[in-house]
Amino acid sequence: MDTQILGHYIGGEWTGADGALESRNPSDTDEVVARFPDGGEAEVAHAVAAAKDAQPGWANASPEVRSDVLRKAGEALFARSGEIGELLAREEGKTRAEGVGETLRAARILLYFAGEALRRHGQTLESTRPGLDVATYREALGVVGLITPWNFPIAIPAWKAAPALAFGNTVVLKPANITSAVAAALTQVLHDAGMPPGVFNLVLGRGRVGQAIVDHKDVAAISFTGSQGVGSQVANSAVARQARVQLEMGGKNPLVVLADADLDKAVAIAADGGFFQTGQRCTASSRVIVEDAIHDKFVAALAERAKGLKVGPALAEGTQVGPASSESQFEQNMSYVGIATGEGGRLAAGGDKLSLDTPGYFMQPTVIADTDPSMRINCEEVFGPVVSTVRAKDYAEALKFANRGEFGLSAGIVSNNAKLIRDFRKNVRAGMVMVNLPTAGVDYHVPFGGTRGSSYGPREQGFAAVEFYTQIKTVYTGD
Ligand code: UN1
């Protein structure tokens, strides 16, 4: 297939396509998906200047102008979901169905925020002083910087950019470089939908692009999704110059399976949460905590399910689990098999790399059983198709195990016991709770985010997004 030649997109124009970097198909590493530039401070300065110039006009235009562009872009993504979903699968490695599904999700997000653009969330109140009125307005922040990961290369840029744009901000996006072609496809869709020059800008390249955005004095806010290590650097730099910052980082999401659970249903939920999208979701069900009475049956059945999943090239018919997205991710996944078994975990399924017809980062879906909650495999995010299981003697112990560790993104429970489900909902330390569902797989119109080491700052997505992407002005009016 053709290699795309990409540039940055600054001030409404594609520029600087020098082919310094490349992305490869993780299902067939002989194939170069795209060549693109390695930007730096100069490109970021240029993009921020364009965004700053465009911002007042964008914010002061009729909300219908913003709504129309987002709606047209959303409709275009719907129409092109097959083609863009396939590009996504080629460049990131999730299956075609997952790639198309993610593109449709991005389309829905754009349409949702096309509506939100028309709903400014202000209030009018009576003043405590007779004869005065008080009103609050929500205003745009200015230029916002978005730094996005490779694992949802179209949905995450969409769910940050759409609210930013809907509420009158202008954007500089720095996507993960291994999924630059998908970011460029989204950018082209926004351009074709009539985005005015400078309102949305894309700067491609390595991490220094992100750092330059975070450090730029004219970037009013930064929204970041990625690792904890980079996230804390982003926050430190942003806070040092009093920029607003929002971080979405990792998870080590517990799925608690209680003794009364339906076995088949519990296994299906755990396999979906743990292995689909190759486990490359910050919401993946990576730790399954199983009540003693159902433990042995459940672990055996989950191991069987893992062995039966079809791993293959993202675009091949019948593939259920694609490759890891990069060599470094693949190496990390494999290394955790050694770490977990070295600490006493038992390999119940998988654990090996797979050699298929094409050179790619394929790994067997892996279940590591009999692990202790304190082992590294239960404390550190792997970000691959690796699930550990932990035995708990009863619900109370399962909850205690679920609440261990630094993360608090998503937590799930599989049970029919309403009392215990209620207790879990109230007492589990996580930003999202899933009842009889995988920990991954979220809606786009409700808040997304975690507690503790998983997230920092206001929630993303849906009706919550207005909090981060606007500031409040309070206006007093007398006679
Ligand atoms: C989902 O579970 O549907 O990076 C979304 C991630 C998350 C998104 C998960 N920010 O995996």
Side-chain angles (χ1 to χ4, degrees), residues 328-381:
S328 59
Q329 186 58 57
F330 175 76
E331 297 297 340
Q332 175 165 315
N333 299 347
M334 293 300 298
S335 80
Y336 270 99
V337 176
I339 290 168
T341 52
E343 287 188 312
R346 173 177 66 84
L347 205 52
D352 272 329
K353 58 179 172 198
L354 279 170
S355 294
L356 304 178
D357 292 345
T358 49
Y361 307 122
F362 302 106
M363 175 185 181
Q364 295 173 328
T366 298
V367 178
I368 299 170
D370 304 336
T371 65
D372 182 87
S374 64
M375 289 179 183
R376 285 182 62 191
I377 191 68
N378 288 316
C379 302
E380 297 168 18
E381 185 174 49

Side-chain angles (χ1 to χ4, degrees), residues 70-331:
L70 293 170
R71 177 178 47 77
K72 284 181 195 153
E75 285 166 357
L77 274 188
F78 261 109
R80 296 179 55 195
S81 63
E83 164 217 336
I84 294 177
E86 180 175 317
L87 173 69
L88 199 167
R90 264 177 76 215
E91 195 177 46
E92 193 268 352
K94 65 185 65 173
T95 66
R96 183 193 299 273
E98 290 169 342
V100 172
E102 187 187 328
T103 307
L104 291 171
R105 176 172 174 170
R108 295 266 182 212
I109 291 166
L110 293 173
L111 293 180
Y112 175 87
F113 283 103
E116 285 294 277
L118 300 166
R119 293 182 204 106
R120 290 295 274 272
H121 306 254
Q123 288 182 315
T124 52
L125 299 89
E126 272 180 85
S127 169
T128 54
R129 286 169 281 165
L132 272 68
D133 292 322
V134 187
T136 64
Y137 294 79
R138 283 198 178 267
E139 295 188 333
L141 303 172
V143 179
V144 302
L146 310 179
I147 302 174
T148 57
W150 46 261
N151 67 322
F152 283 93
I154 199 159
I156 294 179
W159 85 48
K160 294 185 192 296
L165 295 166
F167 301 128
N169 303 282
T170 53
V171 166
V172 177
L173 169 66
K174 189 271 180 235
N177 73 70
I178 65 168
T179 50
S180 289
V182 177
L186 175 65
T187 303
Q188 186 66 48
V189 163
L190 292 169
H191 173 91
D192 294 344
M195 195 63 79
V199 170
F200 180 89
N201 304 274
L202 173 75
V203 182
L204 300 174
R206 286 183 285 200
R208 64 191 178 132
V209 173
Q211 191 64 48
I213 292 173
V214 172
D215 288 336
H216 198 297
K217 65 176 181 21
D218 290 334
V219 175
I222 294 117
S223 180
F224 166 88
T225 299
S227 68
Q228 256 187 331
V230 179
S232 73
Q233 284 173 29
V234 167
N236 285 335
S237 306
V239 168
R241 60 175 189 85
Q242 286 135 45
R244 197 177 273 208
V245 62
Q246 170 185 61
L247 310 175
E248 291 299 341
M249 300 168 289
K252 191 75 212 180
N253 310 291
L255 179 70
V256 169
V257 177
L258 294 185
D260 75 290
D262 175 90
L263 184 67
D264 288 345
K265 186 169 157 184
V267 168
I269 288 170
D272 174 329
F275 301 126
F276 289 173
Q277 291 191 200
T278 321
Q280 296 178 150
R281 296 188 279 193
C282 58
T283 47
S285 311
S286 50
R287 287 190 289 157
V288 188
I289 301 164
V290 193
E291 198 173 359
D292 190 43
I294 195 175
H295 176 275
D296 293 356
K297 268 196 284 184
F298 173 87
V299 171
L302 180 63
E304 275 319 297
R305 180 67 63 102
K307 288 175 196 162
L309 290 172
K310 177 131 182 62
V311 179
L315 293 173
E317 207 57 47
T319 294
Q320 291 173 293
V321 177
S325 295
S326 67
E327 185 171 10
S328 59
Q329 186 58 57
F330 175 76
E331 297 297 340

Side-chain angles (χ1 to χ4, degrees), residues 383-466:
F383 222 61
V386 180
V387 171
S388 54
T389 63
V390 178
R391 186 192 298 265
K393 65 178 189 295
D394 54 17
Y395 165 74
E397 192 175 61
L399 177 67
K400 193 174 91 194
F401 291 165
N403 280 337
R404 282 187 62 106
E406 289 175 34
F407 294 108
L409 188 56
S410 180
I413 185 165
V414 189
S415 171
N416 295 305
N417 185 324
K419 192 162 172 263
L420 296 182
I421 290 171
R422 180 165 186 274
D423 187 88
F424 187 78
R425 169 173 64 74
K426 286 169 76 87
N427 293 309
V428 76
R429 298 201 294 166
M432 297 178 290
V433 179
M434 306 292 196
V435 178
N436 292 321
L437 289 168
T439 52
V442 302
D443 285 0
Y444 56 85
H445 63 313
V446 290
F448 176 96
T451 61
R452 300 181 286 148
S454 288
S455 302
Y456 179 79
R459 290 283 184 261
E460 292 200 274
Q461 297 216 55
F463 62 81
V466 71

